[in-house]
Structure formats: structure tokens, C-alpha cells
Amino acid sequence: MNRRSFRTTHVLVTVLLMLAALTPPGYSAPAHTLNGPGGQRDIDIATINLYTGADFGAIATLDPGDPLFGPKLLAAIAEIHGRIVASNFPKRAEALAAEIVERGPDLIALQEVTLLRRQSPGDFVVGGMIPATDVELDYLAILLGALERHGGHYAVVSLVNDIDVEVPLATSFTTFDDVRLTDRDVILARTDLPPGFLRVSNPLGANYAAAVPLPIGVDVARGWCSIDVWERGRQFRLINTHLEGALPAPLPNIQGLQAAELLLVPAATALPVILAGDFNSDANGLYSPGTYALLVGAGGFSDAWRAVHPGDPGLTWGHDEFLSDPFTPFTLRIDLVLYRGRIFSATDAEVVDPVIDGYPPLWFSDHAALFSGLAVH
């Protein structure tokens, strides 16, 4: 769910790491990768919003005309930074990695893959232009490390930078660091499959043209990244995205514009397509339903969860900001795996949201992870 509002720069970074060509010693193919009737096999997709760890509403609602705008901005930045650190992503990543390795998805779509950097002392308040480069938290590196410790073998095959903002962080009444937050969407692929099981190519990515303007004078960029996949004689495209949340009237429907661009650009291909991500549009019609209706209507996509669990709401979002309240129920299904093309049929879908500890953070994200299996015919 969108709780983030930060400065954007339209920067596309695409990373392609070749999958390992040799089967590792002791490899044993999970049941979901074995041949089925007529030589078919499943492709297993996970979509997971990692959750940056804080609500950014305190910045999004600031009024630049307020005489106290500066002090309020500094207070909001300090509070948000503290909450991100306190959300303890290293602990959350260990729990998430265990769930991923247990299920062994072939491809993973990740959203809110935060990179937090510092500069000390900062130069922002004196008009400096040097970007912060000292890494404080890198959610991608932390998760990849946790996956490796749990026996998983994954590599980045596509990545796009979305939000990238640098702001002053007060360290005393007279001193400041700069803190820089970069948000990313990432696709991971397994690297331990036998030769020929899975090949990826053509990594692409971009920011959407439509973005939310903020009162602090910057926009919020969202984006998508994709790969083309060759899977046992069948080819398709996997697209990972994180759409903007619904905005109150009279603001424009940024989410709808982004969804339309998604259909007109990366999904406009003759290849079969899988869409995975945080769409911020509830499949049960309770929040911004127009985008989901567009994707499964004019977009021609089928919903893996609905195909496997008709009538089950399959809720995936709603934990509290601090991941601390066990009595806050999920309310929406906004994390989706959608597919288009006759080569696919849905075989499995699982929402995964275990309590990881008796002390906050209780969960690995404010979202559940969604694991979906698609037969490739």
C-alpha cells in the first residue's frame, strides 16, 4: 500500500546477471519444477512488497506556506528516518528469506527495495550538491545475503530506480547530515536450476510519465521493470510494478494513468505476459477498483488467485505502520499475479504472512507475500 511520498528522479538502472550455467552439487528439483502431463511444468512467481518501514504522510501533507514549514519538515524527516531504522529490515529479511527458500519460486518481483544512504556532515542546508553515498541500509543486499544463508540461490536480473530524494537530517540543534532514500523495483531469478530450465534476457525498465506532485516541490516517481523468459521451449515476459495509491478528489487519477501506460508500453507485446506487483487496487472492489477492472477487462489478464481460489478474498495488505499490532486485520488484496496468454493456466496461489517473533516487527512487511504457480503448456 502506498505510504511513501518522496522526491523523484527519472533514473533507470537495469542490472543483468547471467544465470549459472552449471547445476550445483546436490541439486534436487522441487516438485513444482518437474515435468507434468505433455511435458508441461510450472513457473513459480512470487511478488513481495518489502515495506520501507515508515509512513511518509507527515511530509506529503506539509504546507510550504506554513511559517513553521522548515522546522516541521526537519521533525518529519527525523521521525521517518528513525522509524525506518527501527523497522529492523535485517530481522524481517531473515524471516522472509526462510519463506522464500521453503517454496523456491523461480522468479521474484520485489517492490520497495529501499536503499538508504548518508552523508556526514551534510551539505544540503548550505546549498551543496554532493550526493550522499555512504550506505546505511541496502534492502537488496540484506535480502540476498539472507537468502544465501538459508540456502537460496538468486540473482538480480532487472532493476529500476523510482524515488530518489536527499534531505537534511538534524543531528543536533546546529549540525546536519544528509539522508538519501532511493526506492527500487527488482526482479530476482533462481540461479541453481539445471541448464535449459530457465533463461532470461532483454531486461527493461522505466518510470511512469504520471507522477504525484508533492507540496515540497518534487514528484513521486513509480516505475516498472521486466525480463523476457525462455522456459522449456516457451517464451513470455514478466513485468514487475508498483503503482501509485488512490488520490482524493480533485487530484488526478495518477494510478489509472500509470496502469494505462503499463498496458501500452511493457505489456504491449506479442509475447504472453505475467504482471506481478503491488497495484494499489483492491481486487475485491474496496479500494481504487478501477485499475484492477482495467487490467482484467480491457487488459485481457486473468488473476491467478481468483482462478485457484474463487470466492476467497485472499487479503494481502493492512498491518499497522509499526508492524506491532496483532489485532489490526488485513483489509485489501492489492498484491497480484496476473497472466495473459493461452500457454498459462493457474495451478496454485498462496498468501504467506507468518508472525516472525513475539516482539515488533511481528511480520516481514505490512504486506503478505504472494506465491503463485502457473502451468506453462
Side-chain angles (χ1 to χ4, degrees), residues 139-263:
Y139 285 19
L140 181 57
I142 292 168
L143 179 60
L144 288 172
L147 286 168
E148 185 175 359
R149 284 189 293 275
H150 285 269
H153 301 276
Y154 289 89
V156 176
V157 291
S158 191
L159 179 154
V160 65
N161 282 348
D162 295 329
I163 302 161
D164 191 352
V165 61
E166 187 163 334
V167 289
L169 176 68
T171 54
S172 73
F173 286 112
T174 58
T175 60
F176 299 87
D177 284 358
D178 290 348
V179 61
R180 178 182 177 191
L181 185 145
T182 307
D183 183 34
R184 300 165 292 180
D185 301 318
V186 178
I187 298 175
L188 304 181
R190 281 185 64 169
T191 60
D192 61 342
L193 296 174
F197 267 52
L198 189 74
R199 300 200 307 271
V200 302
S201 64
N202 192 31
L204 300 171
N207 295 128
Y208 294 112
V212 176
L214 295 177
I216 57 174
V218 297
D219 293 339
V220 177
R222 299 288 183 187
W224 57 268
C225 59
S226 71
I227 51 171
D228 292 346
V229 182
W230 186 268
E231 199 273 343
R232 303 294 293 275
R234 294 289 188 266
Q235 191 174 10
F236 62 89
R237 177 167 294 176
L238 171 65
I239 304 169
N240 172 31
T241 193
H242 186 185
L243 300 184
E244 188 55 69
L247 303 176
L251 295 174
N253 182 9
I254 298 294
Q255 182 189 106
L257 294 172
Q258 292 174 348
E261 186 175 343
L262 179 67
L263 294 176

Side-chain angles (χ1 to χ4, degrees), residues 8 28 40 80 83 122 129 149 177 181 248 285 289 322 337 352 367:
T8 63
S28 176
Q40 80 177 39
I80 289 168
R83 290 182 181 180
M129 302 294 289
R149 284 189 293 275
D177 284 358
L181 185 145
F322 304 102
V337 172
V352 176
H367 294 245

Side-chain angles (χ1 to χ4, degrees), residues 322-344:
F322 304 102
L323 304 179
S324 63
D325 185 355
F327 304 106
T328 300
F330 274 179
T331 56
L332 304 174
R333 181 161 76 91
I334 58 177
D335 303 273
L336 310 171
V337 172
L338 309 176
Y339 59 95
R340 185 179 68 197
R342 287 182 293 177
I343 70 168
F344 297 126

Side-chain angles (χ1 to χ4, degrees), residues 208 239 256-269 273 275 291 294-301 340:
Y208 294 112
I239 304 169
L257 294 172
Q258 292 174 348
E261 186 175 343
L262 179 67
L263 294 176
L264 292 171
V265 181
T269 173
V273 176
L275 292 181
T291 294
L294 173 66
L295 296 173
V296 301
F301 284 90
R340 185 179 68 197

Side-chain angles (χ1 to χ4, degrees), residues 281-290 292-293 306 313 315 331-334:
S281 176
D282 179 37
N284 300 312
L286 299 180
Y287 174 81
S288 192
Y292 179 81
R306 180 163 289 177
L315 304 178
T331 56
L332 304 174
R333 181 161 76 91
I334 58 177

